Amino acid sequence: MVHHLRYHHQGKKGWENMDKDEEAQTFLLVWANSGYCKRKRPKLASFLLLSLVCCSLILAPLLFISSSTWVHLYSFGGQNEGLAADMSVNVPPCSSVSDGKICCDRVHFRTDVCIMKGDVRTHSASSSIFLYGSRNSNRFISYVSHLVDDDNEKEHGEFQHEKIKPYTRKWETSVMDTIDELDLILMSENLGVHHHCDVNHDVPAIVFSTGGYTGNLYHEFNDGILPLYITSQHLNKKVVFVMLEYHNWWIMKYGDILSHLSEYPAIDFTGDNRTHCFPKAIVGLRIHDELTVDSSLMTGNKSIVDFRNLLDRAYWPRIRGLIQDEERDEQEKLLVSPTSVFSLETTRKVQGDHPRKPKLVILSRNGSRAITNENLLVEAAERIGFQVEILRPERTTELAKIYRALNSSDAMVGVHGAAMTHFLFMRPGSVFIQVIPLGTDWAAETYYGEPARKLGLKYIGYKILPQESSLYDIYEKNDPVLRNPRSLTKRGWEYTKKIYLGGQTVRLDLKRFQKRLIQAYDHTIRTNQDFHHHHSNCKHCF
């Protein structure tokens, strides 16, 4: 690069000072020496010539391949087509980045991910992250690129400028408009002297936003926690999370999980004005599909089951504390009322004399999509043989408590909605019954049904009839709202939300629904011995 700049300013003398081994890479400069530098540089022509030369360098070797070699190459490609496809899937764009480079993967329709490697420094005041480095190490490419954009570099010392909104719903313009945008800038390394490091980190950063739909459980897991696991797990906790739109309540809520993904405290990008310096930054999160992990895209073939195992490790210390608190309370009650000792021992003896009943958890709702005859549902489930627990999660309910209830369950029943995300807390092999209100078929299957199967759950979808919806009392029997919900939902999300998500409750036809309960019960009984063995040996089952 030094030689190129010398030639540009000193003419022919600079060209003669170049090493001989560089001449083959810089033959374009011969053309430049014929007086080109004396005139205004034709930038477009330079760019086109660069493209022509690059194509020539790529295609030239192919001209010397023999016909027999072509046959072998074609044969190999045909025999290994599947392998090649797998390799391309397993290696995402920008998986390998050289020092001093910014590489952005903008192929995925859900998310953009940019990787910066080298001297990375934050600058929250300008919503920027800088990478200080030199130009492309290939002198020929550097020179021709220099011809094209030299004016900008002279003015700013800027080699590359990318913009990114690090949130995983790229296709959804309305929510992306609310996400803070970052400028990622590759600058000349000598400008770094004016941008001092306040905090030096020897591990990479992952930069992402907790804005958007944060506050909705489904989106918190699907758009945030799971992509964070996917993006960070290969770093083995040696990573710092840098968050845009930082929320203290989010850190508190997901602290148990975050501590198993990173050994370091998270950084509030906007609120922390210090310059944080990193050897590498991953800006944006990778996402695979709805509430799942694609093992073919993961280091070590990690899957959604591995993520669930991480949840097990994350919540166990807190759950153990809850158990100890309960045992302590029980002991205190015995001290206050000694006569209750006999009652407690009798209860334990009776329980020990009978096999444990399968446990069914009902995720209860209030307001829209509530089951209005929930009390009768409980009675029906108990008659079949279930031990029933009603769980009513609130926004402030500890996730560890919900995890404990569902991790120890054999089956769960709930009406379609964000709370169904809790199926992630169930053990593989358990039964998940999702009640599907009118107009929610596609969403119920896509967001929860298929992901539940990938986790290894026995999934049972129960589509209600018009008579089981409160909409039946509002609309005429032949109204499309009842008879053809698809005709309305295809008009847009607004119709689905207003009519079907926010406008109906459910009254189950228990004679019809009972068939699903029996199916769930039979499934748990058939695997009863395996479950009993698991419960007797698993320290995480409560």
Side-chain angles (χ1 to χ4, degrees):
M1 181 67 180
V2 174
H3 290 296
H4 292 272
L5 290 174
R6 183 179 300 145
Y7 169 70
H8 177 65
H9 293 290
Q10 299 177 6
K12 187 175 180 179
K13 183 178 179 181
W15 167 258
E16 292 173 348
N17 287 335
M18 294 185 67
D19 297 333
K20 292 182 179 180
D21 61 351
E22 296 177 276
E23 293 180 9
Q25 300 180 27
T26 56
F27 60 87
L28 180 60
L29 298 182
V30 175
W31 172 76
N33 194 41
S34 62
Y36 168 79
C37 293
K38 298 177 182 179
R39 300 189 298 274
K40 180 177 176 63
R41 293 190 300 271
K43 297 182 179 180
L44 179 59
S46 301
F47 179 74
L48 293 175
L49 186 57
L50 170 63
S51 301
L52 176 62
V53 172
C54 290
C55 291
S56 300
L57 292 174
I58 294 171
L59 296 175
L62 300 179
L63 299 177
F64 303 95
I65 297 178
S66 66
S67 59
S68 60
T69 305
W70 279 111
V71 172
H72 285 300
L73 286 173
Y74 180 82
S75 174
F76 176 83
Q79 293 173 3
N80 296 277
E81 184 176 356
L83 176 61
D86 288 343
M87 290 177 65
S88 66
V89 168
N90 284 317
V91 182
C94 299
S95 58
S96 178
V97 180
S98 302
D99 281 342
K101 303 293 176 61
I102 301 176
C103 180
C104 290
D105 174 8
R106 302 188 186 275
V107 175
H108 205 291
F109 79 96
R110 292 176 180 265
T111 187
D112 290 333
V113 177
C114 292
I115 298 177
M116 312 171 75
K117 190 173 181 182
D119 184 1
V120 180
R121 308 186 190 187
T122 64
H123 190 257
S124 61
S126 63
S127 297
S128 302
I129 302 177
F130 291 92
L131 173 62
Y132 293 97
S134 60
R135 247 191 188 281
N136 195 310
S137 59
N138 184 309
R139 295 184 177 185
F140 169 65
I141 300 297
S142 297
Y143 179 79
V144 180
S145 298
H146 183 69
L147 297 179
V148 176
D149 57 14
D150 180 56
D151 292 342
N152 183 60
E153 289 183 18
K154 280 185 178 179
E155 183 178 354
H156 303 292
E158 183 179 299
F159 295 155
Q160 184 180 353
H161 192 150
E162 303 284 348
K163 291 181 178 291
I164 185 172
K165 294 185 175 185
Y167 189 62
T168 57
R169 299 189 78 81
K170 184 173 75 172
W171 81 97
E172 197 168 346
T173 305
S174 60
V175 71
M176 291 303 290
D177 286 343
T178 70
I179 301 299
D180 293 341
E181 186 174 62
L182 287 176
D183 290 285
L184 312 181
I185 305 173
L186 173 59
M187 299 287 285
S188 174
E189 59 186 341
N190 59 5
L191 296 178
V193 297
H194 305 298
H195 188 187
H196 301 288
C197 295
D198 295 318
V199 184
N200 284 286
H201 303 269
D202 58 3
V203 297
I206 291 181
V207 185
F208 62 100
S209 174
T210 50
Y213 291 127
T214 298
N216 175 288
L217 185 73
Y218 163 79
H219 289 290
E220 288 171 7
F221 270 92
N222 188 70
D223 305 341
I225 294 297
L226 268 165
L228 190 58
Y229 170 78
I230 290 168
T231 309
S232 69
Q233 62 86 32
H234 70 286
L235 297 171
N236 298 315
K237 301 173 67 174
K238 303 297 182 181
V239 60
V240 175
F241 297 145
V242 180
M243 297 164 52
L244 279 69
E245 301 183 59
Y246 183 100
H247 302 287
N248 285 318
W249 65 262
W250 191 90
I251 293 291
M252 291 290 292
K253 182 174 183 178
Y254 293 106
D256 292 331
I257 299 175
L258 296 177
S259 67
H260 281 72
L261 296 177
S262 171
E263 295 177 351
Y264 306 89
I267 295 173
D268 177 356
F269 181 83
T270 305
D272 189 340
N273 292 321
R274 295 175 299 174
T275 296
H276 290 266
C277 298
F278 301 92
K280 180 179 179 180
I282 302 171
V283 186
L285 301 177
R286 298 195 181 278
I287 182 173
H288 294 163
D289 207 341
E290 308 298 334
L291 293 176
T292 197
V293 176
D294 185 342
S295 61
S296 70
L297 301 176
M298 297 290 286
T299 302
N301 298 115
K302 299 288 186 181
S303 69
I304 188 63
V305 175
D306 292 294
F307 173 75
R308 200 231 171 245
N309 291 339
L310 180 142
L311 296 182
D312 214 35
R313 298 191 299 273
Y315 289 127
W316 163 241
R318 173 55 180 151
I319 293 172
R320 180 173 54 195
L322 292 172
I323 293 173
Q324 291 172 347
D325 290 344
E326 291 170 0
E327 291 175 344
R328 190 180 305 110
D329 291 343
E330 190 175 88
Q331 291 297 325
E332 290 176 355
K333 289 179 181 178
L334 293 178
L335 292 175
V336 173
S337 178
T339 57
S340 62
V341 175
F342 175 77
S343 175
L344 178 62
E345 291 179 347
T346 302
T347 300
R348 288 174 175 171
K349 183 177 185 303
V350 171
Q351 290 177 343
D353 292 340
H354 295 84
R356 185 186 69 86
K357 290 183 177 181
K359 177 181 172 182
L360 171 70
V361 172
I362 298 175
L363 277 180
S364 182
R365 293 181 62 100
N366 294 317
S368 65
R369 284 165 286 151
I371 298 176
T372 58
N373 58 341
E374 187 178 90
N375 59 326
L376 299 179
L377 169 61
V378 172
E379 293 175 4
E382 289 177 338
R383 283 196 300 270
I384 289 171
F386 281 111
Q387 170 197 342
V388 179
E389 178 180 343
I390 296 178
L391 189 61
R392 294 187 177 92
E394 301 293 338
R395 187 177 292 272
T396 57
T397 303
E398 267 190 85
L399 289 179
K401 293 181 178 179
I402 301 173
Y403 188 88
R404 180 187 180 188
L406 291 173
N407 184 57
S408 62
S409 70
D410 299 289
M412 178 181 81
V413 172
V415 181
H416 170 71
M420 295 301 96
T421 306
H422 290 119
F423 79 78
L424 292 169
F425 294 0
M426 301 181 72
R427 299 188 317 275
S430 303
V431 182
F432 169 29
I433 305 176
Q434 181 176 203
V435 177
I436 306 172
L438 298 181
T440 65
D441 296 17
W442 179 86
E445 172 62 23
T446 303
Y447 298 145
Y448 305 111
E450 183 60 26
R453 295 188 192 94
K454 291 178 181 178
L455 181 58
L457 302 184
K458 170 70 173 176
Y459 174 72
I460 301 173
Y462 177 78
K463 297 181 182 181
I464 71 169
L465 298 175
Q467 295 91 324
E468 294 175 273
S469 171
S470 61
L471 298 176
Y472 192 77
D473 299 324
I474 301 173
Y475 294 90
E476 296 292 335
K477 295 181 180 180
N478 293 322
D479 193 293
V481 169
L482 301 177
R483 297 302 176 188
N484 189 13
R486 175 62 181 157
S487 66
L488 277 78
T489 58
K490 69 180 182 181
R491 296 182 187 178
W493 168 250
E494 296 77 12
Y495 287 89
T496 302
K497 183 178 180 180
K498 180 179 179 180
I499 299 174
Y500 296 112
L501 295 181
Q504 69 175 315
T505 57
V506 175
R507 184 174 179 83
L508 293 173
D509 178 346
L510 290 172
K511 185 175 181 181
R512 180 170 175 258
F513 188 74
Q514 181 176 266
K515 296 176 182 178
R516 275 65 173 185
L517 290 175
I518 293 173
Q519 184 181 351
Y521 183 82
D522 288 345
H523 176 84
T524 61
I525 294 301
R526 282 196 303 269
T527 57
N528 193 46
Q529 289 184 346
D530 292 337
F531 277 124
H532 273 300
H533 176 74
H534 180 72
H535 279 266
S536 63
N537 292 281
C538 176
K539 67 178 182 180
H540 301 320
C541 301
F542 317 105

